[in-house]
Amino acid sequence: MGNGNSSHTILSNNDSTTSLSSLKSFDCRNRLHSHRAEGSFEVSMGNWKENDGRTDVWGVEYKTGKPNRHCTFRLTANQTNSIGTVDAIHFGVNDTADDNDKTEISLDITKAGRDGLRGGTISIETSASPFTRRTRQQDFSVSTETTIVSYGGGSSFREGLFVVEKKRKVNSEIAYMVTLAHYYVTKDVGLSIEVKISRKEMDLLLKWRVL
């Protein structure tokens, strides 16, 4: 995918990795930060509240500069009590290559027990033929389940890859950490977005590189 001559484009002033949760440091009046990556390709990010302030929303959009060719992400963190703790998270991807090549991916994560997470089952609707693979690895204390969904390629101008990794303690039915990642590649640009979710913290990172 890359080579030794690949350029590295900076999202923020100091690093190529921008925490989505720190987007409030940008101009919150516009609630949006945009950066042109390569040619007409543009990445936009935003953070705002809905549902009378009880839902935090993070949005990311890739714009190719051509009609009907764009990819959007939306992550919502819902608070259902008065102390402001997050009870449920929804993550969605809407990737359109053209009128006949569309892929929608979504999943939900909810609290389970004192310190666990439940969910992470991928729902996918696509006009392409996605490939899905699941693997499970286990050491003496942790079981890791990974689901990979790939789509696009072939005659499409882009390829997409969506990955969900769930970590559980051995003999536990619930996860203590869930990592979501999406990779988006064209002949000019390669981008990835990663979300790490646990009961104690929710870390959201956007990493991208121009190939």
Side-chain angles (χ1 to χ4, degrees):
M1 287 171 52
N3 55 57
N5 298 320
S6 63
S7 60
H8 202 110
T9 301
I10 306 302
L11 260 181
S12 63
N13 292 328
N14 302 314
D15 202 323
S16 60
T17 298
T18 297
S19 172
L20 294 189
S21 58
S22 69
L23 283 179
K24 295 175 183 177
S25 63
F26 298 116
D27 190 346
C28 293
R29 292 171 298 176
N30 297 325
R31 302 184 302 181
L32 186 67
H33 177 70
S34 297
H35 190 96
R36 191 167 298 279
E38 181 77 2
S40 59
F41 200 100
E42 183 177 331
V43 178
S44 300
M45 302 177 293
N47 173 225
W48 62 94
K49 290 185 178 291
E50 295 180 353
N51 193 24
D52 294 328
R54 295 192 297 272
T55 300
D56 275 300
V57 183
W58 290 266
V60 181
E61 182 175 16
Y62 304 155
K63 299 177 182 178
T64 66
K66 296 182 179 181
N68 299 326
R69 288 188 175 185
H70 55 86
C71 183
T72 60
F73 307 86
R74 180 181 169 94
L75 185 145
T76 59
N78 297 315
Q79 304 169 8
T80 59
N81 55 50
S82 59
I83 60 176
T85 58
V86 175
D87 292 325
I89 293 170
H90 175 81
F91 185 78
V93 179
N94 190 322
D95 189 347
T96 300
D98 58 49
D99 289 339
N100 298 313
D101 186 355
K102 300 179 181 180
T103 298
E104 295 184 7
I105 300 172
S106 64
L107 58 79
D108 295 283
I109 305 292
T110 59
K111 285 183 176 181
R114 286 188 173 184
D115 57 0
L117 300 167
R118 195 178 300 280
T121 301
I122 299 173
S123 172
I124 181 168
E125 295 184 10
T126 180
S127 52
S129 299
F131 171 76
T132 302
R133 180 167 65 95
R134 292 181 177 86
T135 61
R136 177 169 290 184
Q137 296 179 328
Q138 183 171 314
D139 59 23
F140 61 92
S141 62
V142 177
S143 174
T144 302
E145 179 182 301
T146 304
T147 302
I148 300 173
V149 178
S150 62
Y151 63 92
S155 60
S156 176
F157 83 100
R158 57 86 174 98
E159 293 184 63
L161 189 71
F162 187 67
V163 182
V164 179
E165 180 187 82
K166 293 185 282 188
K167 289 184 178 292
R168 299 181 176 91
K169 298 294 185 182
V170 172
N171 299 324
S172 175
E173 294 296 323
I174 59 177
Y176 67 86
M177 179 177 290
V178 178
T179 301
L180 317 175
H182 182 268
Y183 303 88
Y184 184 93
V185 180
T186 73
K187 65 182 181 69
D188 298 315
V189 178
L191 306 98
S192 66
I193 185 169
E194 180 181 90
V195 181
K196 289 184 180 291
I197 302 167
S198 67
R199 279 296 298 272
K200 294 183 179 179
E201 60 180 332
M202 182 173 62
D203 188 25
L204 300 106
L205 298 176
L206 173 64
K207 302 178 181 178
W208 66 300
R209 183 175 67 168
V210 179
L211 299 179

